Amino acid sequence: MLEKKPYLLSRLVSGLGNSLYGMVFIWWIQIQTKSSTMVGITNAIFTVTAALSIFYGPFIDSHSFKKTSIYSMVIQVVLLFVLTAVIICFSQSYILAIIIAGLLSICDEFFNPADRAILKESLLDETEMTSIISKINIVDQLVNVGGIALSGSLLAFMASGDIILACACLSLLGLLLLIAALRKIPVHNAFKEKESQAEGLTKY
């Protein structure tokens, strides 16, 4: 059911966008504020949103994993374009930029668990699952190394706002590839189905 090539391309493209965005945004905050405190607060916000991910679980489990992954990525794309506008047109509004970055981080915490759940649901064969996980790990390593090298190179001759705009475009492309990859996966929720089956057995 999962279209593997579009899925891996989506992960590569959106992952590269996220990697660039994370590094460039922190750099922009440092340049704009010239304050280690603000950089520390920004990193703390990212850490807190990740630490609170345990509370997002019940919401993710009670909704379609497919819808959750797509909608959270749609919101990320919109927020990235909004963040681009803030950085380019309202460069002094770094507090607003940090708030948007925090919302982006929350969306990412919704996307990742739903994405993993989709893999578990759509790939039932153990060999197939092992193969796709291996490919995902390779893609993630390429993104991590490439993101660091590319961000340093781009910052040498591009403005931070232009790079964030490029990240937004990469995320949009990643979203379109994700939709293509998941188009054959039905919209349902395994958690609710198990509850319904358990309830039916109890009534029986």
Side-chain angles (χ1 to χ4, degrees):
M1 289 189 293
L2 178 71
E3 298 287 339
K4 298 179 187 64
K5 286 184 179 179
Y7 176 79
L8 290 170
L9 278 173
S10 170
R11 195 173 184 96
L12 176 64
V13 170
S14 57
L16 184 60
N18 284 340
S19 180
L20 282 172
Y21 149 74
M23 295 174 190
V24 172
F25 183 72
I26 292 295
W27 172 263
W28 180 79
I29 289 294
Q30 177 66 58
I31 295 300
Q32 285 299 118
T33 65
K34 296 180 174 58
S35 169
S36 298
T37 301
M38 291 306 301
V39 172
I41 290 172
T42 305
N43 281 318
I45 289 172
F46 293 158
T47 303
V48 168
T49 56
L52 293 176
S53 60
I54 187 173
F55 298 107
Y56 313 146
F59 177 88
I60 295 169
D61 287 339
S62 62
H63 292 77
S64 164
F65 298 133
K66 178 179 177 178
K67 283 186 175 182
T68 301
S69 61
I70 291 175
Y71 289 165
S72 61
M73 200 162 177
V74 167
I75 296 171
Q76 285 185 68
V77 171
V78 172
L79 288 175
L80 273 171
F81 279 109
V82 173
L83 182 61
T84 300
V86 170
I87 289 175
I88 293 175
C89 303
F90 309 100
S91 58
Q92 298 304 313
S93 303
Y94 53 85
I95 298 297
L96 177 59
I98 290 173
I99 292 170
I100 295 171
L103 293 174
L104 275 164
S105 182
I106 291 173
C107 288
D108 202 41
E109 294 303 326
F110 274 86
F111 173 80
N112 287 328
D115 185 58
R116 289 192 294 269
I118 288 171
L119 284 177
K120 188 175 180 181
E121 281 189 354
S122 59
L123 300 174
L124 301 178
D125 183 72
E126 188 175 344
T127 304
E128 194 177 14
M129 176 67 81
T130 303
S131 174
I132 191 71
I133 288 174
S134 175
K135 291 174 182 175
I136 287 171
N137 288 334
I138 292 171
V139 168
D140 289 348
Q141 289 301 319
L142 287 173
V143 165
N144 290 335
V145 175
I148 295 171
L150 192 57
S151 61
S153 301
L154 291 177
L155 282 169
F157 60 90
M158 286 179 69
S160 298
D162 295 335
I163 300 175
I164 298 294
L165 176 60
C167 294
C169 293
L170 285 172
S171 293
L172 177 58
L173 177 59
L175 170 62
L176 296 176
L177 287 167
L178 179 68
I179 292 171
L182 302 183
R183 69 182 186 277
K184 293 182 181 178
I185 295 178
V187 177
H188 70 283
N189 180 263
F191 184 79
K192 282 187 174 180
E193 287 180 358
K194 286 179 182 178
E195 277 192 335
S196 299
Q197 289 174 2
E199 185 179 350
L201 287 172
T202 302
K203 287 180 179 178
Y204 179 77

